[in-house]
Amino acid sequence: MKRRNTPSQEVVLSVLTNTKKAMSHDAIEKKIDITIDRATIYRILNRFCEDGIVHKIVADDGKQYFAVCMKCDENKLPNNHFHFRCTTCQTIECLPSVVNFSIPENYEVEKVNCVLVGTCKECLNDTK
């Protein structure tokens, strides 16, 4: 079933696309310049996830973040790629390369939700 495109959806998608980083619901709500109630924003974000427009990241801080991953759209990264949360600037981004990991024998990985935490390259450059 094709979903209709609403002004609220366009605004939320525009905020996510222009930011180029993963954003929490609160951060999205602050960037929106029209009135949209919190529940509607959650519904839009969840619908975008269902439709494969954005992906959801559950970070180590327990918050959900949402990202339009341009590299994912170009099939340059696998669907189950890693993310990085910077403790300095508080951003989350898709990692641009594969992160290898291993698991014990007789386990099969179906989905990966991994967030590495530290200082991003921009913040590291600012301290030098």
Side-chain angles (χ1 to χ4, degrees), residues 38-55:
R38 291 180 65 80
T40 300
I41 296 171
Y42 275 117
R43 278 194 299 275
I44 290 169
L45 292 169
N46 286 323
R47 205 169 291 138
F48 284 168
C49 288
E50 289 170 12
D51 294 346
I53 297 168
V54 303
H55 61 275

Side-chain angles (χ1 to χ4, degrees), residues 69-123:
C69 184
M70 304 304 174
K71 293 178 182 85
C72 299
D73 294 343
E74 297 167 7
N75 294 318
K76 290 184 181 175
L77 289 178
N79 287 337
N80 293 327
H81 58 274
F82 283 37
H83 297 88
F84 189 90
R85 183 173 75 83
C86 179
T87 55
T88 304
C89 65
Q90 300 303 315
T91 61
I92 291 188
E93 61 185 300
C94 299
L95 289 179
S97 59
V98 175
V99 176
N100 295 316
F101 63 94
S102 63
I103 60 171
E105 275 187 53
N106 300 318
Y107 287 87
E108 184 177 315
V109 176
E110 294 175 10
K111 190 172 184 178
V112 174
N113 180 23
C114 185
V115 178
L116 304 173
V117 180
T119 307
C120 70
K121 61 185 175 187
E122 287 86 12
C123 291

Side-chain angles (χ1 to χ4, degrees), residues 8 10 19 23 29 82:
S8 297
E10 289 177 15
T19 303
M23 298 179 72
E29 191 173 21
F82 283 37

